[in-house]
Amino acid sequence: MSVATKPKLSTKPVMEPRAILGPAGNRVRVSVESKRRTEAPKKPQRPKVPISQSPPSVVQSNVSVDSSNSSDSSSSNSSFKTASSRKTVKRNGVKQVKPKVASTADEAVTEISPAISGPLKRCDWITPFSDPLYTSFHDEEWAVPVHDDRKLFELLVFSQALAELSWPTILNKRDIFRKLFDDFDPSSIAQFTEKKMLSLKIDGCLLLSEPKLRAIVENAKVMLKVQQEFGSFSSYCWGFVNHKSLRNGFRYARQVPVKTPKAEVMSKDMMRRGFRCVGPTVVYSFMQVTGIVNDHLVTCFRYQECNVDAKKEIKPKTEGREQLTKDVENISLSH
């Protein structure tokens, strides 16, 4: 009698759990691939972005790639979404802004000399060792447009005095100048006698050399004639620049000239009218200090401020401008 043998059932070996190295450490995950195939089709996975390459503001962590509810699976296989629709991305908490392009010359100069905290940036000839009075003069008066006739005459006298004295010395004696010259009233100075002129002394010495004092008295007389012809000394002086302050925009002190063709034209016309001690160098110093020319360096904080002051200035009277223009043209043609 034969014994029937039972067929051997083929059994598949049991798959052991596989160790997976995930971001959260070594964890054991049971394979559920067969289960996924039977239940639902596998959804396409989004590309993974490494943590080191994704900005923290656009990372959405703890999103599971698998459909399993296992906490281990979700922590070890997280996907990150990037906000591609955003036009501006913040990196390290700082918003990147597109640099602004200056559209005008003034904006370009502003970019050169931005407002920063700390000591103010002045022209190179003003140093920490400069006389405080000279520094204040630079910060408050130099290159500020002037249209008052008395003030213009005062600054013309100071420009002539620069041949003998420095600005700090002149400014320290300013009150004495004003007292001795009757507050620079041209009608009063024009009446100075020889005795009065030679009495303009400080500690027994003449305030300026005798030729300079004679020139100041003579210039006061000529200024009265100019006022009658042009309505004001201001109209005469500013007529040489069409009543608009000139801006040179120099960056370095060595670029600032001691005279210019415009100063030479003005000097020749003044001498033709009878003014004395008004060479091109003196006239250009006069143009600088009265704001007819703005020669502050572009790196100086006063450069832009003086430009603003020039725009706010009220246009002075312009009687006699046409005659002045003709005279200037005749001088230019004759030379």
Side-chain angles (χ1 to χ4, degrees), residues 267-278:
S267 171
K268 290 175 182 178
D269 188 77
M270 293 180 75
M271 287 189 288
R272 183 180 66 83
R273 294 179 181 277
F275 285 96
R276 298 170 60 180
C277 297
V278 286

Side-chain angles (χ1 to χ4, degrees), residues 79-324:
S79 63
F80 306 97
K81 295 183 180 179
T82 57
S84 58
S85 60
R86 296 184 182 181
K87 295 181 180 179
T88 304
V89 178
K90 295 183 179 180
R91 297 184 182 275
N92 298 328
V94 180
K95 185 177 182 180
Q96 295 181 346
V97 182
K98 186 177 181 181
K100 182 181 178 182
V101 179
S103 58
T104 63
D106 289 343
E107 291 181 4
V109 171
T110 305
E111 292 295 330
I112 297 175
S113 54
I116 57 175
S117 59
L120 294 173
K121 175 64 178 176
R122 296 181 171 88
C123 295
D124 293 347
W125 51 87
I126 302 295
T127 69
F129 306 100
S130 297
D131 189 307
L133 201 59
Y134 185 38
T135 302
S136 298
F137 180 71
H138 166 275
D139 294 351
E140 300 170 7
E141 298 184 57
W142 198 76
V144 175
V146 177
H147 294 285
D148 179 75
D149 280 7
R150 282 197 185 188
K151 183 72 173 176
L152 286 168
F153 188 62
E154 175 185 355
L155 295 176
L156 177 61
V157 171
F158 289 165
S159 299
Q160 294 170 326
L162 285 174
E164 302 177 4
L165 305 173
S166 63
W167 269 119
T169 303
I170 293 172
L171 295 173
N172 280 288
K173 296 180 178 180
R174 195 176 197 176
D175 292 337
I176 299 175
F177 270 93
R178 288 174 174 172
K179 181 179 180 181
L180 295 180
F181 285 107
D182 295 343
D183 202 19
F184 292 99
D185 181 6
S187 59
S188 177
I189 298 174
Q191 299 177 4
F192 278 13
T193 61
E194 184 78 8
K195 183 179 179 180
K196 173 69 172 177
M197 183 188 67
L198 296 177
S199 66
L200 304 177
K201 297 180 179 181
I202 302 176
D203 298 331
C205 298
L206 288 174
L207 184 61
L208 295 171
S209 63
E210 189 172 328
K212 282 288 189 297
L213 294 177
R214 293 184 185 279
I216 292 171
V217 176
E218 188 64 28
N219 290 346
K221 297 176 182 179
V222 178
M223 182 176 172
L224 295 176
K225 296 179 182 179
V226 171
Q227 286 177 329
Q228 292 177 355
E229 182 178 354
F230 294 94
S232 67
F233 186 54
S234 172
S235 294
Y236 169 74
C237 294
W238 282 90
F240 287 94
V241 293
N242 197 26
H243 298 272
K244 294 180 181 179
S245 181
L246 303 178
R247 292 176 288 177
N248 287 323
F250 297 122
R251 184 183 293 271
Y252 305 106
R254 64 177 179 270
Q255 296 176 306
V256 181
V258 295
K259 62 181 180 180
T260 61
K262 185 73 69 176
E264 291 178 352
V265 171
M266 186 175 179
S267 171
K268 290 175 182 178
D269 188 77
M270 293 180 75
M271 287 189 288
R272 183 180 66 83
R273 294 179 181 277
F275 285 96
R276 298 170 60 180
C277 297
V278 286
T281 303
V282 172
V283 170
Y284 193 65
S285 296
F286 171 70
M287 295 173 72
Q288 289 174 317
V289 72
T290 56
I292 296 176
V293 175
N294 180 4
D295 264 350
H296 281 289
L297 303 182
V298 294
T299 55
C300 176
F301 80 100
R302 286 293 291 161
Y303 178 79
Q304 285 293 345
E305 291 182 0
C306 287
N307 290 342
V308 173
D309 292 339
K311 292 178 182 179
K312 291 181 179 179
E313 285 293 327
I314 300 176
K315 194 174 183 179
K317 296 180 180 180
T318 57
E319 293 106 9
R321 184 196 295 181
E322 295 180 358
Q323 183 63 37
L324 175 60

